[in-house]
Amino acid sequence: MAQVTLKQLLEAGVHFGHQTSRWNPKMKTYIFTARNGIHIIDLQKTVRLLDDAWDFVRGVAASGRPVLFVGTKKQAQETIQTEAARCGMYFVNRRWMGGMLTNFSTVKKRIERLQELRKMQQEGQFEQMSKKEAKRLTDELDRLMFHFDGIADMKRLPGAIYVVDPRKEHIAVTEANRLKIPVVAITDSNCDPDLITYVIPGNDDAIRAVKLLTGKIADACQEGRQEAQARGEILPEVEEREFLETPRYEEIEEYLEDEEDYLPTVSEEEFVRTADEEESR
């Protein structure tokens, strides 16, 4: 059974790509047509490829390996944190620091320092120090939490990374490719699909589109975790993890405003093609 329907994808605006002048020709196979100067992504392929990505991510989670959610653009920050926490996985949603994967041994030292300071704070040790020393350590903890709170409990490299906008997160994608870590990504019309292991063609700028697709990947992680726990795997509980609050992004979504003149109208029926029509494309 498909994880999403064409109607759900249309309602979330997943089919809106970028302006035709800003496309990557390698995405041609995932593009349905162009209207009003905007590429329309082929949602039939999105449905099928999301199913493939869902099965893969579920398998990774079922094996007991973590999935790292990555999305630092404003439209994705809140969703990445919320969905990763919901399924007990890890995330980076503020800034990707070079070497988070390729230099993970050094990153682990910073994570250990974060955990050390967090423990000191919880035990009330800061209150026993001078104000100057307590402020210095508090500032250090705040900096570490800002960069690493989403991966503070990640003990090893992830089995896969899930990315919103691989063009923006090109450093994370490059590091994952170098380490042969599979990349699952929402891939818009301006991205390079050759760098992605599991392409999910779709709009990576609209909040509703990001929420829908990221939520499905989180569902796959949840189901995989349940399989792992049924086998007796000990996985970190969501409740035991501590995160900084991510500010809500409430800017108007450009691509989903019906009154915009350039926004093309596409019906669900247009995406439904016969097998012969699909083969001829």
Side-chain angles (χ1 to χ4, degrees):
M1 180 179 176
Q3 296 303 314
V4 292
T5 63
L6 286 174
K7 182 179 180 181
Q8 288 176 307
L9 295 173
L10 280 166
E11 289 175 348
V14 175
H15 55 300
F16 295 131
H18 285 276
Q19 294 175 347
T20 53
S21 59
R22 296 177 54 204
W23 78 314
N24 188 321
K26 293 180 181 180
M27 285 295 293
K28 182 178 180 180
T29 185
Y30 304 108
I31 292 175
F32 180 72
T33 187
R35 291 187 186 164
N36 297 5
I38 292 177
H39 274 128
I40 304 299
I41 291 167
D42 191 336
L43 293 186
Q44 275 201 326
K45 291 186 176 178
T46 302
V47 170
R48 185 169 65 251
L49 292 170
L50 177 60
D51 286 347
D52 293 341
W54 194 94
D55 289 336
F56 168 74
V57 170
R58 182 192 55 75
V60 171
S63 71
R65 292 173 294 167
V67 176
L68 178 61
F69 286 54
V70 181
T72 61
K73 64 198 303 179
K74 289 180 179 179
Q75 300 96 314
Q77 286 182 329
E78 183 184 2
T79 296
I80 285 291
Q81 176 168 324
T82 301
E83 294 298 332
R86 176 171 71 86
C87 66
M89 294 300 176
Y90 309 108
F91 65 88
V92 175
N93 71 333
R94 296 186 188 89
R95 179 190 170 197
W96 182 271
M97 299 184 69
M100 273 189 165
L101 296 179
T102 53
N103 196 18
F104 189 63
S105 58
T106 299
V107 170
K108 281 180 68 176
K109 294 178 182 177
R110 304 310 300 152
I111 291 174
E112 288 169 1
R113 176 61 173 166
L114 186 159
Q115 293 172 333
E116 177 187 352
L117 290 173
R118 196 160 63 182
K119 184 178 180 181
M120 290 171 63
Q121 185 185 55
Q122 291 170 347
E123 292 177 349
Q125 294 186 35
F126 287 5
E127 299 171 4
Q128 301 171 14
M129 301 177 181
S130 65
K131 288 184 178 180
K132 183 177 180 179
E133 180 66 8
K135 185 179 186 309
R136 184 183 70 80
L137 293 180
T138 299
D139 289 344
E140 182 183 357
L141 176 59
D142 288 343
R143 286 195 300 272
L144 290 171
M145 285 287 286
F146 182 85
H147 291 298
F148 302 117
D149 67 330
I151 60 171
D153 298 302
M154 193 167 76
K155 302 294 192 297
R156 56 175 173 164
L157 286 171
I161 71 169
Y162 166 73
V163 178
V164 175
D165 194 349
R167 182 182 173 90
K168 177 175 175 57
E169 312 299 344
H170 64 279
I171 298 176
V173 172
T174 299
E175 290 189 27
N177 286 334
R178 187 174 300 171
L179 296 173
K180 297 186 175 3
I181 297 173
V183 179
V184 180
I186 301 178
T187 312
D188 212 327
S189 60
N190 65 338
C191 297
D192 184 353
D194 291 350
L195 303 176
I196 310 304
T197 316
Y198 289 88
V199 173
I200 305 174
N203 184 349
D204 59 20
D205 292 306
I207 297 174
R208 277 185 278 177
V210 172
K211 279 184 177 179
L212 175 63
L213 298 176
T214 303
K216 295 302 176 182
I217 295 300
D219 290 343
C221 290
Q222 268 194 325
E223 187 161 318
R225 277 175 58 90
Q226 289 169 0
E227 290 183 29
Q229 289 171 332
R231 292 197 313 269
E233 292 270 356
I234 300 176
L235 303 176
E237 294 294 334
V238 177
E239 294 78 13
E240 294 177 359
R241 301 168 64 202
E242 180 181 333
F243 310 120
L244 293 180
E245 183 178 353
T246 298
R248 295 185 61 84
Y249 181 69
E250 298 175 344
E251 213 167 280
I252 294 176
E253 296 181 57
E254 175 187 17
Y255 293 97
L256 296 181
E257 288 299 296
D258 293 338
E259 60 267 28
E260 294 287 355
D261 294 335
Y262 65 80
L263 191 66
T265 301
V266 185
S267 68
E268 185 177 343
E269 290 73 19
E270 290 181 74
F271 287 105
V272 180
R273 296 185 296 272
T274 65
D276 291 339
E277 289 175 321
E278 180 69 27
E279 190 173 337
S280 66
R281 281 175 63 82

